[in-house]
Amino acid sequence: MRLLFWVNDPSEVLPSQTTSMLITTAVARGHEVWVCGVAALALDGRGRITARAHRVQVWPGELGPPQVLDLLTCEAVLIRTNPARDAERAAAHETALIFGEALKARGLVVLNDPAGIRTTRSKLFLATLPQRLRPGSTVSGDPDVLIEAITASEAPCVAKPLLGTRGSDVFKLTADDPNLKAIVSSLCAAGPALLQDFAPGAEQGDLRLLVLEGEPLQIEGDYACVQRVPGQRDWRSNIHCGGTPTQGAPTPAQLEAARELGQILLERGVFLAGLDLIGPLAIELNVFSTGGLRDANRFFGRDFTVPIIAAVERRVSTPS
């Protein structure tokens, strides 16, 4: 199978990241693997969608010179980008999704589905799901609307941008916070923001749980998950905010919620996603290059990348 990974920039993919682990597994399973950045995609004068891509012989390793690759010669494309961390290439990321939709229309397996990513990537999508699956939510670009909701709440609220990553610009707010107006106004200056009720148990962190083809990813009863515990100086559990990964153990209620969320995402073409759960409530849906497998593999002694690549192989051999 000829497999192409789309990333922000190939030189930025670290060996510890899930994308790198997936590439390694694909190579080990005998596939012809290529990698390219979103800025390397193009439409040529013959109507071909191409990429200046690098053939992967050994990964991680030094990349050779790029070659022009006709993407319809591939069997599958894996979109492993993260636009929220790559603002300078925002236009290239949007263009890549359009290219992805065109490739899918021509019969190529594209995962996750580009149209599905467009629909589900914003936290607004999460806020529209049934109340049983997520915290109470308010979305607005009007600071007064958000401040009114915070003031009416008996518990703290979490405010965050609709598009964001790694816990950036995420705030825990109460009605008596002296910086309330300044923080909310700053968030709304960048666009509409999401306000979530502070989920019960949030002080103990959250569970990152991966779902594959609508089901929690697991090997013989071990689930691909990591419990993220906040550090002493920050209430956020994101690893990049000082959180610590520990071995996760999803509860029956979390697995039930993950299956329901997984099916909702699968209906929209999201093949692989990461759910951030506090109790049975989802506080984030990660539909681009969801991570967490390095720690999950380490804690459980499993290689969760194998069933992911095996699922890609099945998609190619039995296209819908």
Side-chain angles (χ1 to χ4, degrees):
M1 178 172 69
R2 175 177 282 182
L3 179 62
L4 175 65
F5 285 78
W6 289 0
V7 299
N8 288 5
D9 185 320
S11 67
E12 298 171 357
V13 180
L14 302 176
S16 61
Q17 293 175 334
T18 295
T19 296
S20 183
M21 295 164 60
L22 290 168
I23 292 172
T24 299
T25 296
V27 172
R29 289 172 73 87
H31 300 302
E32 180 184 326
V33 179
W34 295 73
V35 61
C36 76
V38 288
L41 296 165
L43 179 71
D44 70 11
R46 295 160 55 189
R48 301 182 309 166
I49 299 174
T50 66
R52 292 182 62 80
H54 304 266
R55 172 79 183 272
V56 177
Q57 302 288 355
V58 178
W59 188 274
E62 189 169 330
L63 293 172
Q67 304 175 48
V68 176
L69 179 68
D70 180 347
L71 270 56
L72 284 182
T73 67
C74 299
E75 276 74 47
V77 166
L78 264 65
I79 300 177
R80 298 291 304 174
T81 58
N82 195 325
R85 301 180 194 171
D86 198 26
E88 67 181 27
R89 283 186 285 258
H93 283 280
E94 290 302 313
T95 303
L97 291 180
I98 297 171
F99 281 143
E101 292 182 44
L103 289 168
K104 183 188 174 189
R106 298 181 190 183
L108 191 66
V109 173
V110 182
L111 304 168
N112 285 326
D113 181 276
I117 290 176
R118 284 180 181 276
T119 302
T120 60
R121 63 179 174 176
S122 170
K123 296 176 181 64
L124 177 59
F125 175 77
L126 174 61
T128 65
L129 296 182
Q131 181 80 47
R132 66 181 177 276
L133 296 174
R134 44 88 181 168
S137 305
T138 301
V139 176
S140 179
D142 184 340
D144 290 338
V145 171
L146 298 181
I147 291 172
E148 181 179 347
I150 295 168
T151 302
S153 176
E154 297 179 357
C157 297
V158 176
K160 59 182 76 172
L162 288 181
L163 296 173
T165 185
R166 291 180 170 177
S168 179
D169 295 325
V170 177
F171 300 92
K172 180 181 177 182
L173 299 172
T174 58
D176 59 357
D177 191 315
N179 297 310
L180 177 60
K181 185 173 183 179
I183 291 172
V184 172
S185 296
S186 178
L187 278 174
C188 290
L194 168 67
L195 192 69
Q196 291 177 327
D197 293 342
F198 196 69
E203 64 280 353
Q204 300 172 9
D206 62 17
L207 181 80
R208 166 67 62 84
L209 174 63
L210 271 66
V211 288
L212 174 67
E213 296 190 306
E215 292 290 329
L217 173 57
Q218 57 95 15
I219 299 175
E220 297 178 349
D222 290 333
Y223 290 91
C225 65
V226 176
Q227 183 73 26
R228 303 185 301 181
V229 180
Q232 294 182 347
R233 298 184 178 182
D234 199 321
W235 64 273
R236 296 170 295 179
S237 57
N238 306 77
I239 304 304
H240 291 87
C241 297
T244 301
T246 63
Q247 184 165 326
T251 66
Q254 287 176 322
L255 291 174
E256 182 180 352
R259 292 187 180 98
E260 186 170 355
L261 288 162
Q263 290 300 316
I264 290 171
L265 291 171
L266 185 62
E267 289 171 2
R268 290 157 178 79
V270 178
F271 163 86
L272 176 68
L275 312 179
D276 293 344
L277 302 170
I278 297 176
L281 302 178
I283 59 167
E284 298 273 357
L285 305 176
N286 303 276
V287 299
F288 274 102
S289 54
T290 183
L293 284 191
R294 179 187 62 167
D295 290 320
N297 284 2
R298 177 167 58 92
F299 291 133
F300 293 102
R302 302 288 192 179
D303 187 351
F304 291 107
T305 63
V306 172
I308 296 172
I309 298 300
V312 176
E313 294 165 354
R314 290 194 300 272
R315 289 290 185 101
V316 170
S317 62
T318 57
S320 58

